[in-house]
Amino acid sequence: MFFCSISGEPPQDPVISSKSGQIYERRLILKYINDNGTDPLTGEKLEESDLLTVKANPKTAPPRPPAATSTPALLHMLQNEWDALVLEMFALKQQYNSTRQELSYALYAQDAASRVIARLIRERDAAREALANVQATMGIAPASGAAEDVEMAEENGTQEGALPKEIVDQIDETQQNLSATRKKRKAPAGYTSTAEVKTFVATHTIPSLHSASPAGMTSLAVSRLSPSQFLTGGNDKIVQLYDRSTDKVLASLKGHTKKVNHVAFREHEGESTLILSAGADKIAKIWAHDSASSEYIPKATIRTHKGELTGLVVHPTNSIFALSSLDKTYSIHELSNFTQVYRSAPGEDAFTSLAIHPDGALLALGTPSSKIQICDVRSGNIAASITPPDASPFTVNSISFSENGYHLLAPDSPSSVAIWDLRKMKTAHTISLGEGFKVNKVFYDYSAQYLGVAGSEGIHVFAHKSWDELVRFEEAGDVSDIVFGEQGKEIWATSGREVRIWGLPA
């Protein structure tokens, strides 16, 4: 056995100096050479190349240190290692408990901050509503303002009177263009025939939409540019965008505090798609499609009205939209900057439904007194007022203009509908649906050949002019909304938490 000339211990990697013949531990002599460049014993110049490796038998076990040469010494060493391990575990437990306490405090602080923010938002909204009520009572016009998710409440002012000239010019131009083509319009090639409608059967059901509590959907809109996509508004305060082709929810849009009464698309070539909604919480919301993220982001919140919103329509110009409310007024807003451009003076009756003429020049407004007001969009003047003869008062909860612009479809009692001839301002025909039927929605198709009535006992579809019942779908139960699909080849409806679709048999 040999020993390192520096440490005096048996070397693990022994080397010998070719100049002095001394044995060294390699790591120690290399460190000494790097610091001094000489042999530690003779002082001669020494380099790493002067060191020769001592080759020992690799199977020979290294000698034990002096402290491990007896049983008491080994026990003492093991005891020291155990004590060190226990102390390290104790320190880790202390650190773990400290980290848990810090995390608990951080979570508590975050929860408290969230509650404070929610309370402040509620107080802000309550203050805004109180301010709006005071301003409305005192007749003070609110100041204008702008924001990102634009709170278009009273910021945009209430403008009673005619629309701005540039918007009137747009409406006039649109009316002239649409009226000229409408008079010559025929059903598009390939449009569903009467015989085909009679063969319609259930083709698809999309279940379990929206929340189970409170359950139910109130409104439906089908995309014109992407016919597989549709919007639904629910009692759960959410607007959902769904893709039928992939059976996936593309977006769940929140922001309402009460049920959503109406939903709509604004689809215009060259501009991003907008999703609009109107709710029982007196507000309308607008979301825009972001092409970069492929998501819908909030753009505006309209707080013009003091009562529940009962109608939402996008004007044929695609530049403005209208809202009706139980506060006895309706309003018109721009879609470029979401500002209010017109609000009607309060009328005698609340407005319970809203529809727009296909040419864009007239608005029809239902009331709870059986009366339907037809207003000129440009001036706001009442162009006509129609009331079913000898009718007991009831709520006109749905209105639909025919695409040819000559007829208006609306309930004339809770369980029957009337088709009004707008050229003569009188009823062209009345359809009774049975005493147990409660009308929820009426709707004309694009070709003005068919009209649908949805209610508490399903759906009835009739032929225009002949007034023959073509088909009925009683299995749908209580239907809240109905839409005709592309080319009239499908009928869509909302019932409970389901969207049901009927079409030609496979």
Side-chain angles (χ1 to χ4, degrees), residues 197-219:
V197 173
K198 290 181 178 180
T199 66
F200 275 12
V201 296
T203 58
H204 195 65
T205 299
I206 303 167
S208 302
L209 295 174
H210 292 265
S211 299
S213 178
M217 289 179 286
T218 58
S219 50

Side-chain angles (χ1 to χ4, degrees), residues 266-285:
R266 196 295 301 269
E267 297 173 307
H268 194 234
E269 293 184 5
E271 298 184 27
S272 63
T273 298
L274 298 180
I275 290 177
L276 298 88
S277 65
D281 53 1
K282 311 174 188 177
I283 67 173
K285 301 282 292 183

